[in-house]
Amino acid sequence: MKLTIIGSGYVGLTTGACFAEVGHHVMCVDNNPAKIEKLLRGEIPIYEPGLEELVTNNVSAGRLKFTTSTEEGVEYGDVVFIAVPTPPQPDGSVDLRFIEKVAREIAAVMKSYKVIVDKSTVPVKTGEKVTETIKRYAPTMEFDVVSNPEFLREGCAVEDLMKPDRIVIGANSDRAMALMQKVYAPFVAPVLVTDINSAELIKHAANSFLALKISYINAVSAICEASGADVEKVAEGIGMDKRIGRHFLNAGIGYGGSCFPKDIAAFVAISDQLGVPFTLLKEVQKINKDQLQRFIKNIRDALWVLGDKKIAVWGLTFKNNTDDIRSSVAIDLIEALVAEGAHVTAYDPKGTENAKGLPLAGQIKFADSAMDCVDGAEALIIATEWPEFKQQDFAEVKRRMVAPIVFDGRNLLHPETMKELGFTYRGIGRAQV
Ligand code: UGA
């Protein structure tokens, strides 16, 4: 099939590349000429495992094209996916101006029947607005609007797209649904067919549920710390119940990233607008905030004064396997340490370049390796769950530190091993050793 993706960011570019990989002919559109020029030169603007190879192979095979022209893109595809940003507004609701703009642009250049698919994460009832908008600007044109939310995780986006748990297609027309089934025919995954509103809601409800699971275990971790229980054992014990499952029960310093904080706020905002406030989610947000504060308090309790302390922080990204530092709890943590006068040296396997662009960058040092980071440190904090942090030579880490104290905000390390190596070790939801 001929497909068009408008918006070549994380979601758009990865989706486009995966569609091309299964044999579709794809044109990716972006209004940023510099980004398109880069892509045409074979440079990938983001770090996502496996993506570069996929893009290069499919460009060479002639199945993946790039353009800055919406007109060319809309002309090209039978199905046009919208994958533009939906940023948050100060009150938590979603700024839908880019979706609205693309809807108008599509209406202005559409010359034949098109299926217009919303892939961006949007609040329920956005599809209705997109339909209204296109009708207003192209009253004589035939088209259908579809909601097809994406469930990819950064860091394993290619895998998630090639082998999805499920594909959700929300459409109110058989003609559009038939085309969408054809788009997804090459993917081996269960397809859930719904109306547009339900599909939009599934996305927000899924992300909120995952965030709720994280806040649940984080709230349990506070009780574990107060009572002397071990949250890792508790998570294992409850996770063995198939109805609960072990996934997303990793206690830590809280969830971050460009999706969860924004989507939970958006779900809260739309539920308020609809007159059915989702108060449970407000508690999820509160627990997430409190979790970092509790962690910082534990550090303060152990070190007494943070001012003038040399602190090494491993991790800048919001999770492992990405260079993304947006809404990263690791960054919030470093900001709080710096505000108390600590001298922070940070290391991250992929996130350093992005972090160097932050205002905070002038107030901290960046190390080139995990080991260099701990040189002369009076404490080490693990803020992101990168597997490479587990594989360090901790005897050498101890030798390089002034005082061997580790605060593990992601429970990456084994307390007993750390104790045997002579560290004072404090994880989340487990006793200090
Ligand atoms: C999330 C969802 O997992 C995807 O299904 C969804 O498609 C995506 O948002 C989106 O809306 O586009 P992502 O933001 O890439 O994906 O990150 P996750 O892997 O879900 O992690 C989110 C945060 O939760 C990270 O900060 C991570 O460190 C934290 N986390 C995750 C925990 O603290 N504990 C856990 O057990 C799991």
Side-chain angles (χ1 to χ4, degrees):
M1 291 181 81
K2 284 172 112 180
L3 308 175
T4 296
I5 319 270
I6 300 184
S8 304
Y10 258 113
V11 173
L13 180 62
T14 322
T15 306
C18 289
F19 280 157
E21 180 69 11
V22 298
H24 294 309
H25 288 263
V26 182
M27 186 173 282
C28 287
V29 183
D30 203 285
N31 62 4
N32 179 345
K35 187 188 271 182
I36 292 296
E37 268 164 36
K38 261 189 159 184
L39 287 165
L40 287 170
R41 283 199 303 269
E43 291 169 34
I44 308 297
I46 49 171
Y47 170 75
E48 189 58 49
L51 183 60
E52 188 166 347
E53 201 189 336
L54 217 59
V55 171
T56 314
N57 291 349
N58 284 287
V59 168
S60 317
R63 285 193 302 267
L64 185 58
K65 297 181 173 62
F66 299 101
T67 180
T68 51
S69 159
T70 305
E71 182 162 12
E72 193 187 347
V74 173
E75 174 84 38
Y76 182 85
D78 303 313
V79 181
V80 179
F81 291 81
I82 304 177
V84 295
T86 50
Q89 309 202 84
D91 69 351
S93 65
V94 181
D95 182 350
L96 292 167
R97 83 178 73 169
F98 301 118
I99 299 270
E100 196 264 355
K101 185 166 167 271
V102 169
R104 274 188 286 121
E105 285 172 359
I106 293 173
V109 296
M110 201 164 59
K111 296 195 185 85
S112 58
Y113 173 80
K114 300 283 170 189
V115 174
I116 294 138
V117 186
D118 181 29
K119 251 228 173 282
S120 304
T121 300
V122 292
V124 62
K125 295 175 98 61
T126 301
E128 289 177 8
K129 294 278 183 210
V130 171
T131 307
E132 266 172 40
T133 306
I134 299 176
K135 263 196 191 137
R136 192 176 313 133
Y137 289 93
T140 57
M141 275 323 244
E142 271 193 294
F143 69 94
D144 280 305
V145 169
V146 166
S147 166
N148 173 219
E150 57 76 22
F151 300 101
L152 59 84
R153 290 163 300 169
E154 286 180 24
C156 33
V158 170
E159 201 191 318
D160 283 352
L161 271 160
M162 296 303 287
K163 292 184 209 140
D165 285 350
R166 80 301 209 182
I167 291 155
V168 174
I169 307 175
N172 300 349
S173 123
D174 292 343
R175 186 177 181 187
M177 188 57 83
L179 278 169
M180 289 302 290
Q181 299 267 17
K182 231 174 124 187
V183 170
Y184 282 105
F187 296 87
V188 187
V191 175
L192 179 71
V193 170
T194 74
D195 59 284
I196 298 176
N197 286 340
S198 303
E200 289 169 340
L201 231 147
I202 285 169
K203 172 66 196 230
H204 268 163
N207 271 4
S208 299
F209 191 80
L210 292 169
L212 179 136
K213 261 188 118 172
I214 298 169
S215 277
Y216 183 86
I217 200 66
N218 283 341
V220 169
S221 78
I223 302 172
C224 287
E225 280 174 30
S227 63
D230 182 343
V231 75
E232 292 299 315
K233 289 287 172 210
V234 176
E236 203 179 326
I238 59 177
M240 284 163 93
D241 183 330
K242 287 196 188 69
R243 294 167 303 174
I244 298 172
R246 179 64 181 80
H247 295 296
F248 275 68
L249 286 180
N250 295 322
I253 50 176
Y255 61 77
S258 65
C259 301
F260 282 0
K262 181 189 98 172
D263 290 354
I264 283 78
F267 207 18
V268 166
I270 188 75
S271 67
D272 282 345
Q273 280 168 32
L274 292 168
V276 279
F278 203 156
T279 48
L280 174 66
L281 293 185
K282 292 190 178 162
E283 196 57 32
V284 168
Q285 293 173 310
K286 184 177 177 301
I287 294 167
N288 201 52
K289 265 197 173 155
D290 291 351
Q291 191 70 1
L292 177 61
Q293 293 315 315
R294 214 164 48 74
F295 184 65
I296 295 170
K297 183 180 175 299
N298 286 344
I299 299 172
R300 222 184 273 123
D301 286 350
L303 301 185
W304 188 14
V305 172
L306 298 185
D308 276 341
K309 290 264 155 59
K310 233 184 140 211
I311 299 182
V313 178
W314 283 355
L316 292 161
T317 51
F318 81 99
K319 64 170 189 181
N320 63 311
N321 262 334
T322 178
D323 64 354
D324 197 344
I325 53 159
R326 289 175 292 172
S327 298
S328 169
V329 185
I331 301 288
D332 294 344
L333 166 73
I334 295 173
E335 271 168 358
L337 297 173
V338 167
E340 294 199 28
H343 303 296
V344 173
T345 302
Y347 166 72
D348 190 280
K350 294 275 177 232
T352 306
E353 280 317 304
N354 283 335
K356 282 184 178 166
L358 295 174
L360 175 73
Q363 294 167 277
I364 64 173
K365 286 188 185 142
F366 295 98
D368 291 331
S369 71
M371 208 50 92
D372 287 348
C373 183
V374 299
D375 264 337
E378 290 158 271
L380 164 64
I381 301 176
I382 301 180
T384 308
E385 61 273 38
W386 283 99
E388 88 163 57
F389 298 156
K390 274 195 269 196
Q391 288 142 17
Q392 298 301 314
D393 173 354
F394 281 95
E396 175 64 11
V397 169
K398 184 165 174 262
R399 272 193 291 277
R400 294 209 186 193
M401 291 179 74
V402 166
I405 306 178
V406 176
F407 299 94
D408 185 352
R410 297 290 177 182
N411 282 355
L412 272 192
L413 310 176
H414 293 293
E416 282 315 307
T417 315
M418 294 306 284
K419 186 178 157 186
E420 278 161 26
L421 283 165
F423 282 92
T424 299
Y425 171 86
R426 173 134 208 185
I428 299 270
R430 47 193 2 189
Q432 179 171 311
V433 292

mmCIF file of all heavy atoms in Angstrom, residues 110-135:
data_model
loop_
_atom_site.group_PDB
_atom_site.id
_atom_site.type_symbol
_atom_site.label_atom_id
_atom_site.label_comp_id
_atom_site.label_asym_id
_atom_site.label_seq_id
_atom_site.Cartn_x
_atom_site.Cartn_y
_atom_site.Cartn_z
ATOM 1 N N MET A 110 -6.281 17.817 -0.373
ATOM 2 C CA MET A 110 -6.839 16.487 -0.653
ATOM 3 C C MET A 110 -7.601 16.507 -1.981
ATOM 4 O O MET A 110 -8.437 17.379 -2.194
ATOM 5 C CB MET A 110 -7.794 16.176 0.505
ATOM 6 C CG MET A 110 -8.102 14.748 0.696
ATOM 7 S SD MET A 110 -8.850 14.478 2.337
ATOM 8 C CE MET A 110 -10.270 15.483 2.299
ATOM 9 N N LYS A 111 -7.295 15.524 -2.877
ATOM 10 C CA LYS A 111 -7.990 15.522 -4.176
ATOM 11 C C LYS A 111 -8.830 14.271 -4.391
ATOM 12 O O LYS A 111 -9.544 14.152 -5.385
ATOM 13 C CB LYS A 111 -6.944 15.626 -5.300
ATOM 14 C CG LYS A 111 -6.170 16.942 -5.274
ATOM 15 C CD LYS A 111 -5.435 17.169 -6.596
ATOM 16 C CE LYS A 111 -4.562 18.407 -6.536
ATOM 17 N NZ LYS A 111 -3.225 18.158 -5.953
ATOM 18 N N SER A 112 -8.672 13.275 -3.497
ATOM 19 C CA SER A 112 -9.459 12.043 -3.634
ATOM 20 C C SER A 112 -9.706 11.483 -2.238
ATOM 21 O O SER A 112 -9.159 12.000 -1.256
ATOM 22 C CB SER A 112 -8.679 11.024 -4.473
ATOM 23 O OG SER A 112 -7.436 10.774 -3.857
ATOM 24 N N TYR A 113 -10.487 10.381 -2.167
ATOM 25 C CA TYR A 113 -10.809 9.778 -0.862
ATOM 26 C C TYR A 113 -9.531 9.419 -0.088
ATOM 27 O O TYR A 113 -8.616 8.809 -0.653
ATOM 28 C CB TYR A 113 -11.651 8.516 -1.064
ATOM 29 C CG TYR A 113 -11.894 7.738 0.216
ATOM 30 C CD1 TYR A 113 -12.872 8.135 1.115
ATOM 31 C CD2 TYR A 113 -11.130 6.593 0.511
ATOM 32 C CE1 TYR A 113 -13.090 7.420 2.303
ATOM 33 C CE2 TYR A 113 -11.347 5.869 1.686
ATOM 34 C CZ TYR A 113 -12.327 6.293 2.579
ATOM 35 O OH TYR A 113 -12.534 5.592 3.744
ATOM 36 N N LYS A 114 -9.484 9.797 1.152
ATOM 37 C CA LYS A 114 -8.335 9.452 1.993
ATOM 38 C C LYS A 114 -8.833 8.952 3.348
ATOM 39 O O LYS A 114 -9.859 9.419 3.845
ATOM 40 C CB LYS A 114 -7.455 10.677 2.279
ATOM 41 C CG LYS A 114 -6.860 11.353 1.056
ATOM 42 C CD LYS A 114 -5.671 10.590 0.493
ATOM 43 C CE LYS A 114 -5.277 11.158 -0.865
ATOM 44 N NZ LYS A 114 -4.289 10.379 -1.575
ATOM 45 N N VAL A 115 -8.055 8.031 3.896
ATOM 46 C CA VAL A 115 -8.285 7.665 5.294
ATOM 47 C C VAL A 115 -7.262 8.465 6.105
ATOM 48 O O VAL A 115 -6.056 8.388 5.835
ATOM 49 C CB VAL A 115 -8.078 6.154 5.521
ATOM 50 C CG1 VAL A 115 -8.190 5.827 7.012
ATOM 51 C CG2 VAL A 115 -9.107 5.360 4.735
ATOM 52 N N ILE A 116 -7.743 9.248 7.033
ATOM 53 C CA ILE A 116 -6.846 10.089 7.841
ATOM 54 C C ILE A 116 -6.790 9.499 9.248
ATOM 55 O O ILE A 116 -7.815 9.396 9.935
ATOM 56 C CB ILE A 116 -7.334 11.547 7.833
ATOM 57 C CG1 ILE A 116 -7.187 12.077 6.395
ATOM 58 C CG2 ILE A 116 -6.531 12.407 8.798
ATOM 59 C CD1 ILE A 116 -8.309 12.885 5.926
ATOM 60 N N VAL A 117 -5.600 9.059 9.606
ATOM 61 C CA VAL A 117 -5.447 8.287 10.837
ATOM 62 C C VAL A 117 -4.725 9.102 11.900
ATOM 63 O O VAL A 117 -3.623 9.591 11.654
ATOM 64 C CB VAL A 117 -4.608 7.010 10.573
ATOM 65 C CG1 VAL A 117 -4.578 6.133 11.809
ATOM 66 C CG2 VAL A 117 -5.160 6.250 9.392
ATOM 67 N N ASP A 118 -5.317 9.197 13.046
ATOM 68 C CA ASP A 118 -4.614 9.865 14.131
ATOM 69 C C ASP A 118 -3.778 8.862 14.907
ATOM 70 O O ASP A 118 -4.314 7.925 15.498
ATOM 71 C CB ASP A 118 -5.611 10.559 15.058
ATOM 72 C CG ASP A 118 -4.855 11.264 16.154
ATOM 73 O OD1 ASP A 118 -3.705 11.657 15.881
ATOM 74 O OD2 ASP A 118 -5.370 11.366 17.260
ATOM 75 N N LYS A 119 -2.453 9.040 14.852
ATOM 76 C CA LYS A 119 -1.525 8.172 15.598
ATOM 77 C C LYS A 119 -1.010 8.873 16.852
ATOM 78 O O LYS A 119 -0.578 8.241 17.803
ATOM 79 C CB LYS A 119 -0.316 7.828 14.712
ATOM 80 C CG LYS A 119 -0.371 6.400 14.298
ATOM 81 C CD LYS A 119 0.819 5.567 14.440
ATOM 82 C CE LYS A 119 0.502 4.128 14.121
ATOM 83 N NZ LYS A 119 -0.177 3.410 15.179
ATOM 84 N N SER A 120 -1.032 10.205 16.833
ATOM 85 C CA SER A 120 -0.576 10.953 18.011
ATOM 86 C C SER A 120 -1.495 10.624 19.182
ATOM 87 O O SER A 120 -2.660 10.291 18.984
ATOM 88 C CB SER A 120 -0.667 12.458 17.756
ATOM 89 O OG SER A 120 0.050 12.819 16.615
ATOM 90 N N THR A 121 -0.940 10.734 20.397
ATOM 91 C CA THR A 121 -1.776 10.490 21.576
ATOM 92 C C THR A 121 -2.637 11.719 21.841
ATOM 93 O O THR A 121 -2.115 12.816 22.047
ATOM 94 C CB THR A 121 -0.885 10.180 22.790
ATOM 95 O OG1 THR A 121 -0.122 9.012 22.478
ATOM 96 C CG2 THR A 121 -1.715 9.934 24.045
ATOM 97 N N VAL A 122 -3.942 11.514 21.805
ATOM 98 C CA VAL A 122 -4.868 12.652 21.929
ATOM 99 C C VAL A 122 -5.994 12.302 22.902
ATOM 100 O O VAL A 122 -6.308 11.127 23.101
ATOM 101 C CB VAL A 122 -5.500 12.999 20.560
ATOM 102 C CG1 VAL A 122 -4.460 13.555 19.614
ATOM 103 C CG2 VAL A 122 -6.220 11.807 19.953
ATOM 104 N N PRO A 123 -6.631 13.302 23.490
ATOM 105 C CA PRO A 123 -7.767 13.004 24.366
ATOM 106 C C PRO A 123 -8.971 12.503 23.572
ATOM 107 O O PRO A 123 -9.103 12.782 22.379
ATOM 108 C CB PRO A 123 -8.071 14.347 25.038
ATOM 109 C CG PRO A 123 -7.316 15.376 24.291
ATOM 110 C CD PRO A 123 -6.266 14.714 23.473
ATOM 111 N N VAL A 124 -9.812 11.756 24.266
ATOM 112 C CA VAL A 124 -11.024 11.230 23.643
ATOM 113 C C VAL A 124 -11.831 12.390 23.038
ATOM 114 O O VAL A 124 -11.846 13.490 23.584
ATOM 115 C CB VAL A 124 -11.839 10.411 24.685
ATOM 116 C CG1 VAL A 124 -12.306 11.272 25.860
ATOM 117 C CG2 VAL A 124 -13.033 9.715 24.039
ATOM 118 N N LYS A 125 -12.411 12.131 21.904
ATOM 119 C CA LYS A 125 -13.247 13.065 21.127
ATOM 120 C C LYS A 125 -12.444 13.951 20.174
ATOM 121 O O LYS A 125 -13.009 14.803 19.484
ATOM 122 C CB LYS A 125 -14.154 13.932 22.029
ATOM 123 C CG LYS A 125 -15.196 13.082 22.772
ATOM 124 C CD LYS A 125 -16.009 13.886 23.749
ATOM 125 C CE LYS A 125 -17.343 14.305 23.165
ATOM 126 N NZ LYS A 125 -18.225 13.197 22.786
ATOM 127 N N THR A 126 -11.104 13.726 20.095
ATOM 128 C CA THR A 126 -10.310 14.513 19.138
ATOM 129 C C THR A 126 -10.676 14.117 17.699
ATOM 130 O O THR A 126 -10.738 14.975 16.812
ATOM 131 C CB THR A 126 -8.796 14.304 19.383
ATOM 132 O OG1 THR A 126 -8.498 14.716 20.716
ATOM 133 C CG2 THR A 126 -7.953 15.107 18.415
ATOM 134 N N GLY A 127 -10.913 12.836 17.475
ATOM 135 C CA GLY A 127 -11.294 12.372 16.132
ATOM 136 C C GLY A 127 -12.509 13.121 15.610
ATOM 137 O O GLY A 127 -12.584 13.496 14.433
ATOM 138 N N GLU A 128 -13.447 13.361 16.506
ATOM 139 C CA GLU A 128 -14.660 14.105 16.111
ATOM 140 C C GLU A 128 -14.281 15.502 15.645
ATOM 141 O O GLU A 128 -14.812 16.016 14.657
ATOM 142 C CB GLU A 128 -15.631 14.204 17.298
ATOM 143 C CG GLU A 128 -16.281 12.875 17.647
ATOM 144 C CD GLU A 128 -17.191 12.958 18.880
ATOM 145 O OE1 GLU A 128 -17.429 14.083 19.380
ATOM 146 O OE2 GLU A 128 -17.654 11.886 19.331
ATOM 147 N N LYS A 129 -13.350 16.123 16.361
ATOM 148 C CA LYS A 129 -12.911 17.491 16.005
ATOM 149 C C LYS A 129 -12.166 17.488 14.674
ATOM 150 O O LYS A 129 -12.325 18.405 13.862
ATOM 151 C CB LYS A 129 -11.978 18.044 17.101
ATOM 152 C CG LYS A 129 -12.672 18.267 18.424
ATOM 153 C CD LYS A 129 -13.394 19.601 18.385
ATOM 154 C CE LYS A 129 -14.054 19.904 19.724
ATOM 155 N NZ LYS A 129 -15.261 20.721 19.557
ATOM 156 N N VAL A 130 -11.331 16.477 14.458
ATOM 157 C CA VAL A 130 -10.581 16.395 13.196
ATOM 158 C C VAL A 130 -11.572 16.241 12.037
ATOM 159 O O VAL A 130 -11.462 16.910 11.000
ATOM 160 C CB VAL A 130 -9.566 15.219 13.240
ATOM 161 C CG1 VAL A 130 -8.942 14.968 11.872
ATOM 162 C CG2 VAL A 130 -8.466 15.501 14.269
ATOM 163 N N THR A 131 -12.580 15.386 12.234
ATOM 164 C CA THR A 131 -13.599 15.190 11.191
ATOM 165 C C THR A 131 -14.305 16.513 10.876
ATOM 166 O O THR A 131 -14.419 16.901 9.706
ATOM 167 C CB THR A 131 -14.637 14.137 11.662
ATOM 168 O OG1 THR A 131 -13.917 12.973 12.067
ATOM 169 C CG2 THR A 131 -15.612 13.777 10.555
ATOM 170 N N GLU A 132 -14.737 17.197 11.925
ATOM 171 C CA GLU A 132 -15.418 18.494 11.745
ATOM 172 C C GLU A 132 -14.540 19.472 10.976
ATOM 173 O O GLU A 132 -15.005 20.157 10.069
ATOM 174 C CB GLU A 132 -15.647 19.151 13.121
ATOM 175 C CG GLU A 132 -16.979 18.887 13.764
ATOM 176 C CD GLU A 132 -16.968 19.455 15.202
ATOM 177 O OE1 GLU A 132 -16.420 20.548 15.429
ATOM 178 O OE2 GLU A 132 -17.490 18.732 16.094
ATOM 179 N N THR A 133 -13.268 19.524 11.359
ATOM 180 C CA THR A 133 -12.340 20.482 10.741
ATOM 181 C C THR A 133 -12.170 20.188 9.254
ATOM 182 O O THR A 133 -12.259 21.092 8.415
ATOM 183 C CB THR A 133 -10.960 20.428 11.452
ATOM 184 O OG1 THR A 133 -11.176 20.631 12.837
ATOM 185 C CG2 THR A 133 -9.999 21.461 10.918
ATOM 186 N N ILE A 134 -11.916 18.922 8.925
ATOM 187 C CA ILE A 134 -11.696 18.588 7.507
ATOM 188 C C ILE A 134 -12.969 18.877 6.707
ATOM 189 O O ILE A 134 -12.910 19.431 5.601
ATOM 190 C CB ILE A 134 -11.218 17.127 7.345
ATOM 191 C CG1 ILE A 134 -9.875 16.949 8.079
ATOM 192 C CG2 ILE A 134 -11.081 16.758 5.873
ATOM 193 C CD1 ILE A 134 -9.331 15.539 8.073
ATOM 194 N N LYS A 135 -14.119 18.554 7.285
ATOM 195 C CA LYS A 135 -15.399 18.818 6.598
ATOM 196 C C LYS A 135 -15.565 20.307 6.329
ATOM 197 O O LYS A 135 -16.054 20.717 5.280
ATOM 198 C CB LYS A 135 -16.565 18.336 7.476
ATOM 199 C CG LYS A 135 -17.063 16.960 7.090
ATOM 200 C CD LYS A 135 -18.427 16.688 7.685
ATOM 201 C CE LYS A 135 -18.725 15.214 7.488
ATOM 202 N NZ LYS A 135 -19.300 14.592 8.662
#
